[in-house]
Amino acid sequence: MTYHQQRSWPGIDAQAVARMRRQNRFATGLDIARYTAAIMRRDMAAYDADPTAYTQSLGCWHGFIAQQQMISIKKHFGTTERRYLYLSGWMVAALRSEFGPLPDQSMHEKTSVPALIAEIYTFLRQADARELGLLFRDLDAAREAGNQLEEQRLLHAIDGHQTHVVPIIADIDAGFGNAEATYLLARKMIEAGACALQIENQVSDEKQCGHQDGKVTVPHEDFLAKIRACRYAFLELGVEDGIIVARTDSLGAGLTKQIAYSQAPGDLADQYNAFLDAEPVSNLASLRGDVVIERDGRLVRPKRLRSNLFQFREGSGEDRCVLDGITSLQHGADLLWIETEKPHIAQIARMVDRIRAVVPDAKLVYNNSPSFNWTLNFRQQVFDAWAAEGRDVSAYDRARLMSADYDDCALGREADERIRTFQRDAAARAGVFHHLITLPTYHTAALSTDTLARDYFGEAAMLGYVRGVQREEIRRGIACVKHQNMSGSDIGDDHKGYFAGEAALKAGGAANTMNQFAA
């Protein structure tokens, strides 16, 4: 028997202790990683059985944004099932670096990534504590009023409370260094709570955003070493179900920094080198520090740029993506991410079909990126499809389909419908298990701030805030309208009551202006 079981302490209420424990069900980040990894594994199995059961997430750059997203999802849909969070390296670089805004080139502090994971889960756990705290207050009121039916309803709600803690797919970029550096960072991210790590096949010190030019990939063995580093980190920390998302940027990457070391014809390195753009060597005297390789019994010289990088054959991107996907899944990855230059289901499906011919249960995470002009892309897709079908498209100018003139025409409506069903259709046809938007809250913050600045500093003045923000918060039931409660004031009052009893000086009394929002 432990010491605290042998005695009780004056002023310590067992019910208060039980409530505090219920409000903090996850003791460590590893508890979260194990819990959320199991969720993802169940969801992956459910998707294999039924492709309509795909999952979704939105990218977050702050714990508060993640918290409000999960609160809104529970409010609108009653459950967080199959809804995750995405941690974008792009947004960490642009918004969380001490250097200030940076491009997505792995120049930010790598410690900022696990720090953001920990921050997100701190906010999500606080959302649990807040929601349960409100239920506890209602329970006390029901008991005080002698309303046993309401008391039982609230007890059932407390017992069945669904946590706001959901899986995070966390961007580890290209690993921020060699395989050992990848392992060390992976450990920190997992310890902070990440159950899924997304790693890409670019060169760490040449890393670019997946939707920019100049991307440089690494030979497969280098990438597989980093995948193994992530797996070892998961296993060392006891997160047996940890998820690795292997991202290939090969579709838009025309360069490599090194030629793979091949030990036998047809091995993985030889397959990688086969994509290099090379020219026959007819005169050995013409070589000046060049590298030559054997291809089909002949010596060839891979074309090397002034940057000392080698280039791949033009048009080889899809073939390289397929080889990347098969290889990654065969050597430890759980999910694939194919970075594309446009949202086109047929293009994605074409590669996935080839991968699934070798790995039948291959599944994708797909970036529904704000880097795509969705309106223009889908209007052009509809235009091209109609033209191929022989339909009359003379009323439309393909070069200016982004114009608002096309918002309410047949082509515009068809394009919007394809955008609406894109995730569902890609899940069914192209093996997409998880759809995410990398940078949505970056753009929503900019848009909402622009609207407020325009109205508040303009003729509307204070009405710009009241009409555009507060009145909408009240009428839509946005919990943040009671910002004191959201920040934890009521939780603090509960604790003050536990600690000081009737002597507690609480903030939530009659003079608290938040009472104006009680209705």
Side-chain angles (χ1 to χ4, degrees):
M1 184 176 291
T2 62
Y3 178 73
H4 78 272
Q5 289 174 320
Q6 298 177 40
R7 58 168 294 180
S8 59
W9 289 273
I12 299 296
D13 181 6
Q15 178 176 259
V17 173
R19 289 182 175 186
M20 292 173 75
R21 287 180 175 176
R22 187 70 181 85
Q23 288 172 294
N24 186 26
R25 62 179 289 191
F26 300 102
T28 69
L30 286 177
D31 291 336
I32 292 172
R34 295 186 188 105
Y35 169 78
T36 53
I39 290 175
M40 280 196 71
R41 291 289 176 182
R42 290 194 298 270
D43 287 347
M44 289 162 66
Y47 172 81
D48 286 338
D50 178 7
T52 64
Y54 61 89
T55 57
Q56 299 169 292
S57 66
L58 294 174
C60 297
W61 51 271
H62 192 281
F64 177 73
I65 300 295
Q67 179 197 64
Q68 293 308 300
Q69 184 183 147
M70 286 302 117
I71 289 174
S72 294
I73 286 170
K74 286 190 73 175
K75 181 185 77 171
H76 290 296
F77 305 104
T79 178
T80 60
E81 289 179 6
R82 302 205 306 274
R83 276 93 175 192
Y84 304 164
L85 293 167
Y86 179 65
L87 187 150
S88 160
W90 192 100
M91 285 207 286
V92 173
L95 299 170
R96 301 299 298 252
S97 173
E98 293 186 9
F99 293 103
L102 293 173
D104 184 19
Q105 296 174 356
S106 290
M107 295 188 294
H108 55 282
E109 310 87 340
K110 59 185 178 182
T111 52
S112 60
V113 182
L116 178 54
I117 296 168
E119 175 184 292
I120 287 172
Y121 280 126
T122 296
F123 273 80
L124 296 184
R125 291 160 67 191
Q126 193 262 6
D128 282 356
R130 171 191 165 273
E131 192 169 72
L132 283 164
L134 293 173
L135 289 172
F136 293 150
R137 287 177 171 225
D138 289 344
L139 177 63
D140 290 339
R143 285 172 171 170
E144 187 174 343
N147 189 338
Q148 294 184 353
L149 187 62
E150 178 67 0
E151 178 184 352
Q152 290 305 309
R153 186 193 70 80
L154 289 163
L155 285 171
H156 180 74
I158 292 166
D159 290 341
H161 178 262
Q162 184 183 50
T163 178
H164 294 81
V165 169
V166 297
I168 287 178
I169 298 177
D171 187 357
I172 197 172
D173 279 16
F176 285 87
N178 60 17
E180 175 68 8
T182 301
Y183 154 77
L184 293 172
L185 179 55
R187 271 184 53 103
K188 288 292 185 185
M189 293 170 70
I190 298 163
E191 288 171 340
C195 72
L197 304 179
Q198 169 228 322
I199 186 165
E200 62 206 51
N201 69 333
Q202 291 193 48
V203 177
S204 285
D205 58 354
E206 302 284 357
K207 184 258 189 300
Q208 297 278 11
C209 171
H211 291 118
Q212 291 186 309
D213 204 355
K215 294 184 290 295
V216 185
T217 62
V218 297
H220 292 92
E221 287 298 339
D222 292 26
F223 188 50
L224 296 179
K226 293 186 177 182
I227 288 176
R228 287 191 288 270
C230 292
R231 181 63 65 202
Y232 272 110
F234 274 124
L235 294 174
E236 178 186 353
L237 296 170
V239 185
E240 307 287 340
D241 288 332
I243 310 293
I244 298 173
V245 181
R247 172 175 143 181
T248 172
D249 283 294
S250 292
L251 190 63
L255 303 169
T256 185
K257 195 166 190 176
Q258 61 195 93
I259 295 172
Y261 176 71
S262 174
Q263 301 183 68
D267 66 10
L268 192 54
D270 192 44
Q271 293 179 67
Y272 185 81
N273 293 338
F275 292 115
L276 292 169
D277 190 4
E279 55 191 7
V281 176
S282 56
N283 180 8
L284 294 178
S286 67
L287 301 177
R288 293 291 182 272
D290 291 307
V291 175
V292 295
I293 60 175
E294 182 272 337
R295 181 179 289 172
D296 299 326
R298 302 178 61 191
L299 287 180
V300 297
R301 173 174 54 191
K303 293 181 181 178
R304 183 161 54 179
L305 307 179
R306 291 289 299 272
S307 59
N308 215 28
L309 299 170
F310 299 94
Q311 67 184 35
F312 291 110
R313 294 195 318 273
E314 190 172 347
S316 65
E318 285 199 14
D319 291 337
R320 286 183 282 128
C321 282
V322 170
L323 182 61
D324 294 342
I326 292 170
T327 303
S328 298
L329 291 174
Q330 289 177 331
H331 291 83
D334 302 286
L335 298 167
L336 297 179
W337 173 321
I338 300 176
E339 195 77 297
T340 65
E341 82 287 2
K342 59 182 179 293
H344 197 291
I345 291 176
Q347 178 195 44
I348 306 164
R350 188 165 58 240
M351 291 182 279
V352 171
D353 286 346
R354 294 173 61 190
I355 294 169
R356 284 184 160 179
V358 181
V359 186
D361 64 347
K363 291 180 284 295
L364 262 63
V365 169
Y366 188 71
N367 178 9
N368 293 229
S369 177
S371 293
F372 304 144
N373 185 331
W374 285 77
T375 301
L376 182 61
N377 267 290
F378 276 85
R379 288 180 180 179
Q380 289 178 342
Q381 287 179 37
V382 173
F383 181 97
D384 294 341
W386 286 4
E389 294 167 4
R391 295 178 58 171
D392 182 9
V393 293
S394 60
Y396 307 104
D397 181 352
R398 193 180 188 280
R400 56 182 299 273
L401 287 175
M402 186 63 201
S403 170
D405 295 342
Y406 298 113
D407 285 357
D408 196 32
C409 67
L411 185 144
R413 291 192 295 272
E414 172 66 17
D416 282 353
E417 178 62 12
R418 292 192 184 195
I419 294 170
R420 187 187 72 81
T421 63
F422 174 80
Q423 295 190 342
R424 182 196 69 193
D425 296 342
R429 175 65 188 91
V432 179
F433 158 73
H434 185 77
H435 283 282
L436 61 87
I437 307 179
T438 44
L439 322 174
T441 51
Y442 178 90
H443 292 280
T444 55
L447 179 61
S448 60
T449 301
D450 177 79
T451 301
L452 178 60
R454 179 197 65 193
D455 294 346
Y456 176 73
F457 293 106
E459 288 298 316
M462 189 57 195
L463 181 60
Y465 172 77
V466 172
R467 182 173 56 199
V469 180
Q470 190 181 80
R471 195 175 292 166
E472 285 298 302
E473 285 182 303
I474 294 170
R475 291 176 177 173
R476 292 173 57 179
I478 306 283
C480 259
V481 72
K482 299 182 180 180
H483 49 256
Q484 307 286 16
N485 168 268
M486 185 58 64
S487 70
S489 180
D490 288 345
I491 295 173
D493 274 2
D494 291 340
H495 291 170
K496 290 173 184 178
Y498 300 160
F499 305 156
E502 293 183 1
L505 183 62
K506 298 183 179 181
N512 190 321
T513 61
M514 286 291 101
N515 294 326
Q516 296 172 23
F517 300 96

